[in-house]
Amino acid sequence: MRQGPLAGRYPAVAAMVTFALIPYLALSAAFEPLVPIISEQLHMSTQALSLSSGLGNAAYAVGTVLAVQFAQHLPQRRMLLAYAVVLVVGSVLAASAHNAGMFIGGHVLQGLATSMLLIAAAPPLTIGFPKDKLRNTAVIMNMCVFGAVALGPFIGGVQAEAHAWRPLFWIIAAIALVALVLAALTFDDAPPADLDAPRDLWAIGLAAVGCGAGFIGASQLTTHGITDAAVAVPMFGGLTLIVVLIVYQFRARRPLLTVRSVLTSSIPVAGVGVALFAAAASVAATALTANVLLQTYSPVRVGVLYLPELGGAIVMAVVFGFVITRRAMHFLPLVGMALLASGIVVFRLAIPANQPLVLLGAALTGLALGATVAPALFVAGFSLRSNSLQRVFAIIELLRAVAAFMVAPIFAYFAVAAPGDLVAGTGYALWIGFGLAIGGAVFGVAIYALSGARPQRPDLDEFLDGDSPAWYSPPLFARLRSNVPAPAATSVPAPRATPSIPREATDSAGSVLFAYDGSDLAAFAITQAAAQLPPGRDALVVCVWQPVDVGFTPTDKNHFDADRAVQVRQAAERTAAHGASLADGAGFLARSAAVEASPTWKGIVDAAEEHAAGLIVLGPHRRNGLLGHLQGSVAAAVVAHSTTPVLIIPQEACGQ
């Protein structure tokens, strides 16, 4: 199995996700102050730049669906590399643009690649590491999405003050390149998620046409009225197609997106609903207020006024990390909606130019964003099995993109078209946003109350193994339906036993332990060991596995779900048995075992010493197989920490 030198290292993988998501999200938030400068230098009209933003946002929405489809049938980590390449190409194309076509094309590629990277990289970061890393993942995901958005107005204002835009775009391209390098360094080849999954071209087509038409129509509001055919036909037609997509996936026997599971269960419905209300209301609070402030202050001054939003997002990201393993996680989105409503009221009082109130409103909005969308996303995800997490992320990001990015130009249009001046129109729009925030809070509470849902502490062990959701979510509106069965009584789970390898008596010489990952190099190591050791010796062939990234190359064609721990373990057992048959053929008396990867190297070395008292024979001198989670060199770790005699088959003897 191919691996990069930093594969399996949480800090490196987390950094890769961070650098992959920041460029487009930060750039989208920084774009508004740069519009006049880009328009002048690239000879683009304001309408053309609005279209560029609309197409980029449409590509972001469509990318969520494409990424789920590709993950089912194509090697997931190889596709992650491809997405990172697309992000670099799009960023370079936009930064070096000499005309409207290059700029729009680059921006579209940036949006498409960012959402595909989010869907491909975020779920493995969430469920592919031990649960003690989940708190860090929650903080990182919150900061990647909302920290970048909160920082956008400031960096856009600083760049606009210099009357330039290319330096910022080249910095974005450099960050994208770092993401690509980290994707290569952390590469850990993983098989497709489900080769038996259908290829749903209808879902992709509906998402592509619906999002494309809807965002194009909304972008036309820059120069057209909402009743004009150039706006109404594509915008409402696109929204209709997105609704058709949801209905189609709900009714499909084998859907690409798990819409039925999400929309028939109470807690996911509450989580998704709160996320959409928050996304739509927050746009009214930030974008519209900034437009009013730009009439009085310079772009950089406005950016400084919005910096408390970043501070609020950071504070709430830490709070989210603290409560993600507690019952309090259910209450965080509700608190966030209250903060958002308060922030909108403060912004309404702050316009046209009350700086202290703007600072307070920005801080409240930052706290609100950190407490609503990401926590609501995880609340929904924890209500389903972890193998659905990628699809849940895709559904929420698709709908959130529609709620946030498509609503923004509609709010801006009403702010300008409303009776009176821009301040009065913005005030009306802010009150609509306030109503959305209150409505979102009421919606979430009502769903819980009418369905009998209750805050629960998540069972992360069961969730990360893919055996069951992290908590019980009643059917939607269960208290209003007479035919809903009561949930089965649940017992407190017994302490989880550490996987063990069957121990058998070994001869005085000791048995041989082989680390087998299904690769040709590992098989060659068995052959080389047989040439150096006397025949008839006992051997134990071990295949170490983990969910998501798997950790081995299957030796048969049986399909399995890489997110389901039970199915991955069964595939690892078959792979280990195949390795044992190779060892038998080479002259050993072999048995096999599959062991779940330990989060530390010491646990694996201890298991190796316990069950192979005489000798450890490694496969290829790489970070895979038995010691897939070791820090640094496999051989160095075993030699340094094992009291057992060690025979290492060098790389050059294995064809490398």
Side-chain angles (χ1 to χ4, degrees):
M1 173 173 280
R2 301 189 186 100
Q3 289 181 307
L6 300 181
R9 298 191 182 184
Y10 182 84
V13 177
M16 181 267 292
V17 173
T18 300
F19 283 107
L21 299 184
I22 282 177
Y24 179 78
L25 297 174
L27 191 60
S28 296
F31 192 73
E32 190 64 30
L34 303 175
V35 167
I37 305 170
I38 298 174
S39 177
E40 176 187 349
Q41 295 186 8
L42 293 184
H43 307 291
M44 295 176 65
S45 65
T46 304
Q47 177 61 72
L49 283 171
S50 177
L51 179 62
S52 172
S53 295
L55 289 174
N57 294 332
Y60 180 91
V62 174
T64 60
V65 181
L66 279 175
V68 171
Q69 180 68 88
F70 289 157
Q72 307 308 304
H73 297 279
L74 299 171
Q76 299 180 64
R77 292 307 295 267
R78 299 182 198 180
M79 294 306 297
L80 187 85
L81 277 175
Y83 304 153
V85 170
V86 173
L87 180 62
V88 173
V89 171
S91 299
V92 171
L93 195 62
S96 61
H98 297 296
N99 53 54
M102 288 181 64
F103 184 84
I104 294 174
H107 197 58
V108 168
L109 290 179
Q110 285 178 311
L112 178 68
T114 299
S115 63
M116 297 178 88
L117 283 165
L118 171 64
I119 301 305
L125 182 67
T126 303
I127 63 178
F129 288 90
K131 68 176 182 179
D132 61 333
K133 301 295 185 184
L134 189 59
R135 177 175 288 112
N136 298 335
T137 300
V139 175
I140 290 167
M141 290 299 299
N142 218 336
M143 286 306 305
C144 281
V145 177
F146 302 107
V149 171
L151 187 61
F154 174 71
I155 60 177
V158 171
Q159 187 66 87
E161 192 76 7
H163 199 73
W165 60 275
R166 292 189 191 273
L168 174 60
F169 277 69
W170 280 116
I171 291 172
I172 294 296
I175 295 174
L177 181 60
V178 172
L180 173 59
V181 172
L182 287 172
L185 293 175
T186 59
F187 181 79
D188 193 355
D189 208 0
D194 186 5
L195 288 171
D196 293 327
R199 291 173 171 82
D200 201 334
L201 297 181
W202 277 106
I204 296 172
L206 286 170
V209 177
C211 291
F215 281 97
I216 289 173
S219 69
Q220 297 294 321
L221 285 169
T222 303
T223 55
H224 295 77
I226 197 168
T227 57
D228 290 353
V231 173
V233 172
M235 185 171 70
F236 293 111
L239 289 174
T240 301
L241 290 178
I242 293 172
V243 173
V244 171
L245 168 66
I246 300 301
V247 174
Y248 162 60
Q249 290 292 281
F250 185 92
R251 296 172 59 88
R253 187 176 64 87
R254 296 193 63 189
L256 179 62
L257 306 174
T258 54
V259 173
R260 181 187 295 271
S261 300
V262 171
L263 296 186
T264 57
S265 185
S266 56
I267 296 179
V269 168
V272 172
V274 168
L276 297 186
F277 275 103
S282 64
V283 170
T286 55
L288 297 181
T289 308
N291 287 337
V292 174
L293 294 173
L294 285 171
Q295 293 187 324
T296 305
Y297 304 114
S298 67
V300 69
R301 184 67 170 271
V302 174
V304 170
L305 291 175
Y306 273 86
L307 274 181
E309 189 171 286
L310 175 62
I314 293 173
V315 170
M316 197 53 72
V318 175
V319 172
F320 178 38
F322 178 76
V323 304
I324 194 170
T325 59
R326 295 171 168 82
R327 293 175 64 251
M329 179 182 176
H330 292 260
F331 298 102
L332 193 59
L334 182 62
V335 172
M337 296 304 278
L339 289 170
L340 181 56
S342 302
I344 292 174
V345 171
V346 172
F347 273 135
R348 177 65 186 87
L349 298 175
I351 58 174
N354 188 315
Q355 295 184 65
L357 286 181
V358 172
L359 292 169
L360 176 60
L364 290 171
T365 304
L367 290 168
L369 288 175
T372 49
V373 180
L377 185 151
F378 276 88
V379 164
F382 280 176
S383 304
L384 306 172
R385 289 184 175 180
S386 60
N387 64 329
S388 301
L389 195 61
Q390 195 174 53
R391 291 179 168 95
V392 172
F393 275 36
I395 294 169
I396 293 180
E397 280 304 295
L398 170 65
L399 297 179
R400 189 181 73 85
V402 173
F405 299 142
M406 191 179 293
V407 164
I410 297 176
F411 269 112
Y413 168 78
F414 280 116
V416 174
D421 58 7
L422 179 61
V423 175
T426 300
Y428 298 142
L430 286 173
W431 286 122
I432 295 174
F434 174 80
L436 289 174
I438 297 298
V442 172
F443 174 84
V445 172
I447 292 296
Y448 268 64
L450 296 176
S451 305
R454 58 183 180 83
Q456 304 156 62
R457 185 186 183 94
D459 185 343
L460 296 180
D461 289 323
E462 290 294 318
F463 177 76
L464 293 177
D465 273 356
D467 295 332
S468 65
W471 48 50
Y472 171 69
S473 175
L476 185 64
F477 301 134
R479 286 186 171 176
L480 303 180
R481 297 154 59 185
S482 59
N483 60 343
V484 177
T490 57
S491 59
V492 178
R496 296 164 61 86
T498 302
S500 61
I501 305 172
R503 184 168 188 174
E504 298 179 5
T506 61
D507 57 22
S508 58
S511 62
V512 180
L513 181 67
F514 289 103
Y516 184 71
D517 66 353
S519 66
D520 292 338
L521 292 174
F524 197 80
I526 295 176
T527 305
Q528 290 295 304
Q532 300 183 39
L533 298 172
R537 192 160 183 175
D538 286 344
L540 178 64
V541 179
V542 177
C543 179
V544 172
W545 59 273
Q546 63 180 2
V548 184
D549 286 335
V550 181
F552 61 91
T553 302
T555 54
D556 56 37
K557 295 184 179 180
N558 293 330
H559 301 159
F560 63 92
D561 188 336
D563 294 328
R564 295 289 303 278
V566 173
Q567 295 186 25
V568 177
R569 174 178 56 78
Q570 292 170 347
E573 290 172 347
R574 296 193 298 269
T575 301
H578 182 267
S581 68
L582 296 178
D584 283 332
F588 293 99
L589 301 177
R591 50 197 170 91
S592 64
V595 179
E596 186 172 7
S598 168
T600 64
W601 56 263
K602 191 175 185 304
I604 300 176
V605 173
D606 289 346
E609 291 185 334
E610 179 184 357
H611 299 288
L615 187 67
I616 298 176
V617 178
L618 298 177
H621 184 173
R622 293 148 43 111
R623 294 187 64 255
N624 64 355
L626 178 64
L627 302 171
H629 283 279
L630 293 185
Q631 300 295 325
S633 165
V634 169
V638 176
V639 172
H641 300 286
S642 175
T643 59
T644 303
V646 176
L647 170 64
I648 297 175
I649 305 300
Q651 287 182 311
E652 54 269 19
C654 298
Q656 285 196 347

